[in-house]
Amino acid sequence: MIIARQKGAYGRGASAYARVGVESGALSASPHQLIVMLFDGALAAIRKARIHLEQGHLADKGLAISKALDIVNQGLVAALDQEKGGEVAERLASLYDYIARQLVAANLHNDGQRLDEAERLLKELAGAWREIGTQTQGGVS
């Protein structure tokens, strides 16, 4: 009984520590790094969804896809500045909308190919975003 309580307390402590680590990472991150974190989170959620789909854990698959959708819609789309971004922001908004529709369809139809498509597009965007960051950092040094 005491061991079970200790494991439970440890689990809660580890969970709180992980949350603080993520929160402090986000608090100390630049706007560019925050976008990278959003891409990483969405991609991780899609990978989890694929594993759950393959294992037949459909409820967990749905939760993982929902997380990816939240990151795309509430994070990446929300970060777009339509005023300053102009046509680029418009095109990104359209692409994020397409990715979100692929995720919804993947969830509804248990379609791994649509997960693949969403992941491929997010990886391409994440790679381009990282490249912009290295160019910006390289120019500052």
Side-chain angles (χ1 to χ4, degrees), residues 6 8 12 22 26 31 49-50 52 55 57 64-65 77 83 90 92 96 103 113 122 134 137-138 141:
Q6 287 175 341
R12 285 190 302 276
V22 169
R50 182 176 295 103
H52 291 307
Q55 295 176 347
H57 302 148
I65 289 176
V77 171
E83 210 171 285
E90 277 182 42
L92 281 172
Y96 292 149
L103 290 170
Q113 288 182 327
L122 285 170
T134 58
Q137 290 172 353
S141 307

Side-chain angles (χ1 to χ4, degrees), residues 4-74:
R5 282 191 203 141
Q6 287 175 341
K7 285 183 180 178
Y10 173 77
R12 285 190 302 276
S15 176
Y17 178 79
R19 233 183 358 265
V20 168
V22 169
E23 289 171 6
S24 58
L27 290 174
S28 64
S30 70
H32 183 85
Q33 291 168 321
L34 288 173
I35 300 298
V36 169
M37 291 171 74
L38 289 171
F39 280 120
D40 289 345
L43 289 166
I46 290 171
R47 284 190 297 274
K48 285 182 184 178
R50 182 176 295 103
I51 290 167
H52 291 307
L53 177 62
E54 289 168 357
Q55 295 176 347
H57 302 148
L58 300 184
D60 291 331
K61 174 230 31 165
L63 291 173
I65 289 176
S66 290
K67 182 175 182 174
L69 274 167
D70 283 346
I71 292 170
V72 170
N73 292 327
Q74 306 301 318

